[in-house]
Amino acid sequence: MTPSRSSSISEPITERINDVDVVEEMQASFLEYAYSVIYSRALPDARDGLKPVQRRILYQMAEMGLRPDRGHVKSSRVVGDVMGKLHPHGDTAIYDALVRMAQPFTLRVPLIDGHGNFGSLDDGPAAARYTEARLASPALAMTEGLDENVVDFVPNYDNTLTQPEVLPAAYPNLLVNGASGIAVGMATNMAPHNLIEIIGAARHLIAHPDATLSDLMEFVPGPDFPSGGTIVGLSGIRDAYETGRGSFRTRAKVSVASVTARKTGLVITELPYLIGPEKIIEKIKDGVNAKKITGISDVTDLTDRNNGLRLVIGIKTGFSPEAVLEQLYRLTPLEDSFNINNVALVEGGPRTLGLRELLQVYIAHRISVVTRRSEYRLARRRERLHLVDGLLVAIVDIDEVIQIIRSSDDTAMARTRLIDVFDLSQLQAEYILELQLRRLTKFSLIELEAERDKLRTEIAELEALLSSRHRIEILVSDELSEIAERFGTARRTLLTDAPPSIAGASTRQKAAAVSLQVADVPCRVFLSVTGQIARVNTVGDPESATGTADDRRAAEVGGTGAGTGRAITVPSQRSAHDAVLSALATTSRTEVGAVTNRGRLIRFSPVDLPVLPPTSVQLGAGVTVTDYLGLTDRGERVLALVSLESECSIALGTKHGVVKRVAAAAYPAKPEFEIIALKPHDEVIGAVQGEESDELVFVTSDTQLLRFFAAAVRPQGCPAGGMAGINLAAGAHVIHFTAVPESVADSAVVVTIAGHTGMLTGVDSGSAKVSPFSEFPVKGRATGGVRAQRLLKGESALQLAWVGASPPLAVAADGSPRDLPALDVRRDGSGHSLTSVITGVGAQIR
């Protein structure tokens, strides 16, 4: 051993030096690094919307059985399993990705159900050893079907395990939850959206492959952030949806409220996406100290777990809250910009995609998933049917089968003889040899025959499905609809086309921009039957802004529940969508009131309402009034808009037949207050602002209509409970209350719709009648009225009524118009059968 070792040591060492071009080496290494970052770390896949680390976390948690119906486990255990098996890039990156998927303020539909401190917008999460996690229900929809060969599997980092190349993704996760990431030479920043809206657009694109971007934006008007807020200016959204790049500004949801009896404040309940309250407070303090922000006395953070975000900014005496708010929009993150850059991986390479392209990539992926799943299920059912057919052969001739097996020397001989005698395949023969004796009963034969018939039916269905791409598309669309039903929630972010603040404008532009932003312009506010609210500016229209007293009053009182039902006149209007419940002539900065069925009056300013063009008023383009006013009680509805500066009193009619007039001088200086003291189980049916010469009108469920002069009702203060308005028969209640001015009494009409109270809403169309209001006699207050419609066989009550200026507009639940029968001069005649369901009647916009 020693001589050989010494000889080997004495041998000369041969050096080998390779000359390498430094430029080429750097280019090759940089490109390899860039590709690794782009493909393996920073950019999401356009199909499932996940980065590799997110995909690996969800897959490994599914493999660990961390389902929503099971207990949470330590996050450090999840991180350890993911790092050891699939993602060897450090525990910090894995835990950060897990935390992000569990934060409800980051994702619109969180994928991880976290237990413990997963952080906030201002503070980071606790360490992985202190928190626990499991999959959220939507994550199961992302991973569902992985055991059915729906996607390709690739080796993990050390080739010992496999992992999915992409998840099946039962919904468009990339659009729903958005994404952000910085790669080499590129970045992505995608906004979250509403699940219901995105699925609606995807289903429309499946049914109409040639759909335009405008068609898709009917379903997806804009992003929907988890934190809510308001998007101002919609042009950037369309740019982003068309080209993949665009920007817009988001605002906090701010309301003016009385902090104390003598102090007004700004109450912030929603902030722009990923902006925390501490950042807002810090910026306000910096602005006040630098004397850039004036008029603020204090800032109080009342945020808690039960009530959510609530920042209260005190306003100094003598300062306008609206002007202070405009400063805050310009100088703090209460208004922030969001830049969309839709960069995602498509077929392994980065691409910038618009809304239509993103949906197309997802739909193609989902069609592939459903096709592969159907092929897998078809193969499994064919295999099972093959075995069941063999078992049935064996059970029918079981004695001969037993004899063949008993007389065979070994298993191989028995298998061969079974194949020869019964013409079986090798798989069938093997299965028969493994047959348990308990399967030889008569009941087992019945079970096998039933299973065979079921398998044949399922095979035929799967074959028919795979033979038609159209059927596959229908199935994909239906499955998307089910997902929307299970996980869809209402929109949180309001969309307005109001101009953003002048943050970012040049100094020369700022003076003009401020004066425009705070201008108090004449406008008309419209409330639709379906609960949409919007405004139309009347600047530049002298007739609209400075018309006669009757014209202004007509705009104030509006339709059902808001006054006379006088037709609302908007200059140059060419079309109408949705019926008008109430309308009001005011200015954009003037505080007005909204009366609800709970007997409350809520003050608000229409300044942030969507502005509709006077030439094309489409009330469906407004915002939901309950969202705009922040009504938390789902049963509370806005019935009318009223002027707080008018000297006219407000008349109210309730379900139990009570009438009340509230004097204008009785309004307390509160942001919201009770305008009537309601008795238990009673509610306001209609509200109207008008003169003593108006006629008040009640319509009841038992077809009675009563009209009497408003002068018969003495005005009262807000705490009062009103007086008897109409005498109700047993079991009857008021379904409509309004007022008709003397000037339109001769042209007004009465619309009544009857049906059966036992029918489900929206099922029975019922019958309708349109009658002249003049056919109904004037009677005294607290009497019983006269019959307005004779009920047909099968009808038990009036379901809906409306009194107002002709012509009325009937609508369905979505605001689309419905036909009413012709005018019937008979006061108490029967109605005409309707061909479609009517859910509301109001004034037309002309």
Side-chain angles (χ1 to χ4, degrees), residues 421-439:
V421 173
F422 294 104
D423 193 20
L424 301 174
S425 68
Q426 185 168 346
L427 284 175
Q428 288 174 322
E430 288 282 359
Y431 197 63
I432 290 172
L433 288 172
E434 296 174 0
L435 184 66
Q436 296 176 337
L437 292 177
R438 62 184 176 85
R439 298 293 304 274

Side-chain angles (χ1 to χ4, degrees), residues 96 98-108 110-112 118-121 123-125 226 274:
D96 287 347
L98 185 147
V99 166
R100 186 181 186 278
M101 291 191 289
Q103 291 175 333
F105 53 83
T106 301
L107 298 191
R108 189 62 179 80
L111 300 173
I112 301 293
F118 275 79
S120 67
L121 289 167
D123 298 308
L274 299 182

Side-chain angles (χ1 to χ4, degrees), residues 68-69 110-113 134-142 171 486-487:
D69 55 352
L111 300 173
I112 301 293
D113 178 12
R134 65 184 177 189
L135 290 176
S137 296
L140 296 184
M142 292 290 294
Y171 59 89
R486 288 169 57 192
F487 305 122

Side-chain angles (χ1 to χ4, degrees), residues 266 294 315 319-330 514 518 589:
L266 301 174
T294 57
I315 306 298
F319 282 83
S320 167
E322 290 79 10
V324 173
L325 178 59
E326 182 62 25
Q327 287 188 89
L328 296 176
Y329 280 149
R330 290 190 289 110
V514 170
V518 299
R589 293 286 182 181

Side-chain angles (χ1 to χ4, degrees), residues 359-379:
L359 289 173
Q360 285 175 329
V361 171
Y362 172 76
I363 291 169
H365 169 61
R366 196 59 195 168
I367 288 175
S368 171
V369 167
V370 172
T371 301
R372 292 180 61 164
R373 183 187 67 195
S374 302
E375 291 172 347
Y376 177 87
R377 292 177 177 177
L378 178 60

Side-chain angles (χ1 to χ4, degrees), residues 373-391:
R373 183 187 67 195
S374 302
E375 291 172 347
Y376 177 87
R377 292 177 177 177
L378 178 60
R380 300 290 82 77
R381 280 155 180 75
R382 283 174 174 170
E383 291 173 2
R384 178 60 186 169
L385 179 61
H386 184 63
L387 296 178
V388 169
D389 287 340
L391 280 177

Side-chain angles (χ1 to χ4, degrees), residues 5 236 402 431 529 582 811:
R5 184 189 306 172
I402 294 173
Y431 197 63
V529 170
S582 182
V811 295

